[in-house]
Amino acid sequence: MTLPAFKLFSRAEMIYSLKSFTAAMMALYLSSRAGLPNTFWSLMTVYVVSQPLAGMVRSKAVYRLCGTFIGSTATVFMIPALSNAPVLLVLAMALWVSACLFISLLDRTPRSYAFMLAGYTAALIGFPSVQTPDLIFNTAITRVEEICLGILCATLVHSVVLPAGLTGSVMGLLDKTLTDTRRWLQDIFSPEVPVAGEDDGALSASRLRLSVDITQLRLLSTHIPFDTGNLTWTAGAMRTMQDRVAELIPTLSGVEDRLQALYKAEGGWSPDVLAVQQQISAWLAANEPLLTGQDMDIPLTRAEYNDQRLALRESASRLETGGNQGAWSRALRISLVNYLEELVIKWQECLALRQDITTGMRVGVMPRRRLAAVGNRVLHRDLGMALLSSLAAFIAISLCCLFWIQVGWADGATAAMMAAVFCSFFAVMDDPVPAINNFLKYTFWSAPISAIYILVLLPAVQDFGMLVLVCAPLFLVLGCYSARPALLMVALPLLFGVAGTMSLHDTAHADVTSFINSTTAQLLGTFMAARVTRLFRSVGADWSARRIRRAIRRDLVDMARGAKAHQLQIFAVRMVDRIGLLVTRIAQGETHRHHSVARETLRDLRLGANIIALQQARRHFPAVDFGALLAQLALLFRSAQNLPAESLHHAVDRALDAMLAIPEKTPQWRGAISALVGLRHNLFPDSPAALTVKEHTP
């Protein structure tokens, strides 16, 4: 019989656990020396704040400090004012938690933690104090002091003792993003026959995963200003890089779309198209070292960048006069040239920003930022889901409080606290119920361990050294497991179950009755959060994916109607973020449907860029009836059938025919033709190569 092998902890896991335990014991010692009434709040706070990376610990500490102060301040105002009206107090507290949760869900950055914490901190401080409203100020002050001690100790230890920086994670994700983007570029300019059909869907799905990396990089890089190394100096360049890569995706998709259409229209690759493809492939190969910052000894100057761009632009411009000069072929070539110039400029910006980031990391100085970053303010926000999450929190807290008031249960406050915490903590998930149930299960299994500590071990502790020895075995082992992603959702419930029970008791005078009441209240509050969430908030990945698709269509309608001013950069960043959210959800469905959604999403991305270009061009060409065309597009995107009408086809062809007749070859002219070509090819991919309407004479 072979015994199962015991997997030892890695060095990183053991270091993380030792640091967390050291910070917890330091916070416990300082809070006891300061005479604070509930020292285990400091211990639990350390484990709440602790993260494997020092920058994430510091950012989380700042946000937790802000949220704690805001939540405690709200409690000090609400409890004394409404203590004589229990129903109003319950409504006010539940409304406060719900409002803070709503705001946190609209801010999809780590900063949202401060808003969420401001909500359930008020519940943690306020509900146990409703029987003693005259002591609420002192209670709030001591709770803030206990939490702040835990935050400061965790931040100090993780920042000073063998700090784990963000550099490896951030730069690894950045290089992966740029490498995948470059691979897309190489595929585009490969002389092979363009793929189509089912394989095209699989290829689209794999490329859409690039948007997941961009979204992850955007969220991870928000911790960069809090990092302990030279990566801090690259925060501005990193934000700009994310915007540039996001803006590059519709351009990449547009170039690929035009090349496929040109291959189909001309029956293969023309010699001039092949020559441009080879030139761009050689340019990509020459600039490959810049992707990883290897070529820093001889960085490219702005003049060299311009020389490369002009050489490629000159070669590409010859495509406008080459090949079969039918109207459709000519329009495709003009559109391709326009996209190629955009592609070269944007990719060069990415290379230059990569050099800036490497400079900041090596030298420790702030690299220059060529362009302002769009930032996180344009990311996707789902107001409906945020409202549903807030409603679930409001109802769960209210039901727990109603039960508490009706039965006069002394530990009912704990149930209301747990409902507030768990309705808030997992609200970002499509279906939070499995995660809440997981916490409920392991909190139940932690009860025997908590009982041993509360009823047996801690009452026998005589000094701080003995307390450290008693806590070390459990917390060191669970700390190691919490650093292992596969076991995180097992270790954390056990860890917080034990630490939370310690925080809720006077360990010197605990008895079996108080322990059973407290544990029952914790489980009841968690159970209520799960049940109410299941009823009001739980949705599937498909449902969320459909909401994201509808949000994309609403944006297309708004852009076509001209109701809002849209910039390509803002649309690209928001669209790439939505694609990232969409990819993680459609990947759980059937493969065929996954590929279909991938194709449609890339098409919507291209259509949005075309509509923005058309809105920008319409003021330069008042004689062309772009207004009627855009109105028909708005009707199309508002329609549930999503089937373009033949009249729209004729409207696009009329506008394209009129633009081709204009003699001026301005950038606005090229942009308008490129947009019209994109609309025609994406909405009517099987239309004949000849334009359907001829209403002018050149």
Side-chain angles (χ1 to χ4, degrees):
M1 179 178 177
T2 303
L3 294 176
F6 177 72
K7 186 176 182 180
L8 296 176
F9 300 120
S10 67
R11 179 176 180 272
E13 290 169 349
M14 289 188 288
I15 289 175
Y16 169 75
S17 182
L18 281 170
K19 289 195 298 184
S20 299
F21 183 73
T22 301
M25 292 301 104
M26 184 188 301
L28 200 62
Y29 177 77
L30 292 176
S31 58
S32 63
R33 294 291 293 178
L36 297 176
N38 201 331
T39 57
F40 283 101
W41 275 104
S42 299
L43 178 145
M44 189 170 70
T45 300
V46 168
Y47 281 99
V48 171
V49 173
S50 293
Q51 299 285 330
L53 301 178
M56 297 177 70
V57 174
R58 288 145 67 108
S59 68
K60 195 172 183 180
V62 170
Y63 298 136
R64 187 170 182 85
L65 279 172
C66 294
T68 300
F69 277 111
I70 295 171
S72 59
T73 302
T75 306
V76 170
F77 278 100
M78 282 189 287
I79 297 297
L82 300 173
S83 59
N84 293 325
V87 175
L88 290 179
L89 178 58
V90 167
L91 292 176
M93 293 289 288
L95 186 61
W96 170 262
V97 175
S98 302
C100 291
L101 177 60
F102 177 78
I103 296 172
S104 73
L105 292 174
L106 296 184
D107 186 349
R108 290 182 44 244
T109 68
R111 184 177 58 235
S112 65
Y113 184 63
F115 298 108
M116 181 179 67
L117 198 69
Y120 70 71
T121 294
L124 294 176
I125 297 175
F127 285 129
S129 304
V130 294
Q131 302 297 330
T132 56
D134 53 322
L135 300 178
I136 183 60
F137 184 78
N138 290 333
T139 302
I141 290 295
T142 55
R143 187 59 46 80
V144 169
E145 289 173 343
E146 291 157 359
I147 291 174
C148 288
L149 270 176
I151 291 171
L152 293 175
C153 290
T155 304
L156 178 65
V157 172
H158 283 284
S159 300
V160 174
V161 181
L162 300 175
L166 287 164
T167 302
S169 300
V170 173
M171 297 308 299
L173 190 53
L174 174 64
D175 290 339
K176 179 180 182 297
T177 301
L178 292 176
T179 300
D180 289 344
T181 306
R182 185 181 181 279
R183 187 178 297 114
W184 192 351
L185 278 164
Q186 289 176 318
D187 292 343
I188 288 175
F189 296 107
S190 170
E192 297 177 1
V193 178
V195 292
E198 183 66 25
D199 292 338
D200 187 26
L203 189 62
S204 299
S206 66
R207 287 172 179 170
L208 283 182
R209 296 190 190 100
L210 175 63
S211 60
V212 179
D213 293 338
I214 296 174
T215 299
Q216 291 177 346
L217 179 63
R218 182 177 296 279
L219 298 180
L220 183 61
S221 62
T222 58
H223 299 289
I224 289 178
F226 302 94
D227 194 55
T228 55
N230 282 345
L231 187 67
T232 306
W233 300 106
T234 70
M238 194 72 71
R239 286 194 297 269
T240 308
M241 173 70 87
Q242 296 154 17
D243 296 340
R244 296 288 81 74
V245 177
E247 192 178 354
L248 188 62
I249 288 181
T251 305
L252 284 168
S253 185
V255 170
E256 188 172 40
D257 180 70
R258 298 305 183 275
L259 283 171
Q260 291 181 356
L262 191 62
Y263 183 91
K264 178 181 176 181
E266 297 186 353
W269 296 128
S270 300
D272 54 348
V273 176
L274 279 174
V276 171
Q277 287 179 307
Q278 292 170 358
Q279 186 177 0
I280 294 180
S281 296
W283 171 68
L284 291 172
N287 288 326
E288 184 173 3
L290 297 176
L291 286 179
T292 56
Q294 299 172 11
D295 193 10
M296 285 300 301
D297 296 330
I298 311 177
L300 293 178
T301 64
R302 184 179 293 274
E304 289 172 324
Y305 279 126
N306 290 335
D307 289 343
Q308 290 183 352
R309 181 177 64 82
L310 291 173
L312 291 172
R313 173 72 180 88
E314 183 179 352
S315 299
S317 64
R318 300 192 191 103
L319 296 177
E320 292 185 4
T321 56
N324 176 17
Q325 282 302 295
W328 177 235
S329 177
R330 180 181 171 223
L332 283 171
R333 285 172 169 267
I334 293 170
S335 177
L336 178 61
V337 169
N338 185 67
Y339 267 113
L340 286 176
E341 183 170 9
E342 288 183 16
L343 180 64
V344 171
I345 293 173
K346 291 173 182 176
W347 185 240
Q348 282 186 328
E349 289 176 358
C350 291
L351 296 177
L353 285 166
R354 184 63 181 85
Q355 284 187 297
D356 283 352
I357 291 169
T358 304
T359 301
M361 292 179 58
R362 290 187 180 181
V363 184
V365 296
M366 185 76 72
R368 66 185 185 277
R369 288 175 57 192
R370 290 172 172 79
L371 294 171
V374 170
N376 298 321
R377 66 183 184 278
V378 299
L379 298 182
H380 173 70
R381 292 178 174 87
D382 194 330
L383 292 175
M385 291 303 295
L387 284 170
L388 284 177
S389 298
S390 302
L391 178 63
F394 182 88
I395 293 174
I397 295 169
S398 300
L399 289 176
C400 286
C401 290
L402 178 63
F403 180 76
W404 172 24
I405 293 170
Q406 289 298 317
V407 302
W409 185 21
D411 286 281
T414 302
M417 289 162 47
M418 292 300 104
V421 170
F422 285 103
C423 283
S424 301
F425 205 69
F426 298 105
V428 295
M429 297 181 176
D430 290 330
D431 187 2
V433 175
I436 299 176
N437 285 337
N438 182 75
F439 254 79
L440 178 63
K441 179 175 70 173
Y442 287 105
T443 300
F444 177 80
W445 286 113
S446 72
I449 304 174
S450 301
I452 293 173
Y453 270 91
I454 296 296
L455 302 177
V456 179
L457 297 178
L458 293 182
V461 168
Q462 301 298 321
D463 55 38
F464 185 75
M466 187 179 294
L467 178 63
V468 173
L469 291 176
V470 166
C471 293
L474 176 69
F475 285 92
L476 284 175
V477 171
L478 291 180
C480 288
Y481 281 123
S482 66
R484 189 175 296 176
L487 295 174
L488 178 65
M489 294 306 292
V490 175
L492 280 186
L494 292 173
L495 188 62
F496 291 159
V498 176
T501 303
M502 292 177 177
S503 302
L504 295 172
H505 284 85
D506 180 357
T507 55
H509 302 92
D511 55 29
V512 175
T513 302
S514 65
F515 174 78
I516 293 176
N517 276 329
S518 174
T519 303
T520 303
Q522 290 185 65
L523 296 174
L524 177 62
T526 309
F527 176 81
M528 188 64 72
R531 295 306 95 195
V532 173
T533 300
R534 170 69 72 187
L535 182 61
F536 288 95
R537 165 66 178 78
S538 183
V539 298
D542 285 345
W543 195 84
S544 294
R546 287 194 297 271
R547 286 186 62 83
I548 295 171
R549 292 297 308 277
R550 285 197 293 269
I552 293 172
R553 306 292 287 186
R554 284 196 300 270
D555 267 7
L556 293 177
V557 171
D558 289 341
M559 288 187 292
R561 293 173 55 191
K564 300 178 183 177
H566 286 82
Q567 299 177 16
L568 178 59
Q569 189 181 53
I570 292 176
F571 170 75
V573 170
R574 182 183 292 121
M575 189 69 178
V576 166
D577 176 54
R578 283 174 173 162
I579 290 173
L581 296 174
L582 196 60
V583 167
T584 58
R585 288 162 173 83
I586 62 176
Q588 303 174 28
E590 299 176 359
T591 302
H592 178 75
R593 182 177 174 276
H594 185 186
H595 295 169
S596 175
V597 173
R599 284 194 299 268
E600 292 175 6
T601 305
L602 278 178
R603 187 200 67 168
D604 289 345
L605 177 62
R606 293 191 296 266
L607 288 173
N610 294 330
I611 292 171
I612 291 173
L614 214 58
Q615 290 283 16
Q616 294 171 346
R618 64 184 300 186
R619 64 177 180 271
H620 297 284
F621 306 100
V624 182
D625 190 11
F626 287 135
L629 171 59
L630 290 167
Q632 290 192 58
L633 287 171
L635 289 174
L636 168 66
F637 298 132
R638 195 184 299 116
S639 170
Q641 286 86 11
N642 193 23
L643 296 175
E646 191 63 27
S647 60
L648 177 59
H649 191 182
H650 287 293
V652 173
D653 279 1
R654 278 195 298 269
L656 183 56
D657 203 44
M659 290 302 303
L660 289 172
I662 296 176
E664 304 94 51
K665 306 299 186 287
T666 61
Q668 293 80 14
W669 177 78
R670 289 189 175 88
I673 289 180
S674 182
L676 292 167
V677 168
L679 292 174
R680 188 180 195 268
H681 185 246
N682 285 285
L683 293 176
F684 308 97
D686 299 324
S687 62
L691 299 184
T692 58
V693 178
K694 292 282 184 180
E695 292 188 349
H696 76 281
T697 54

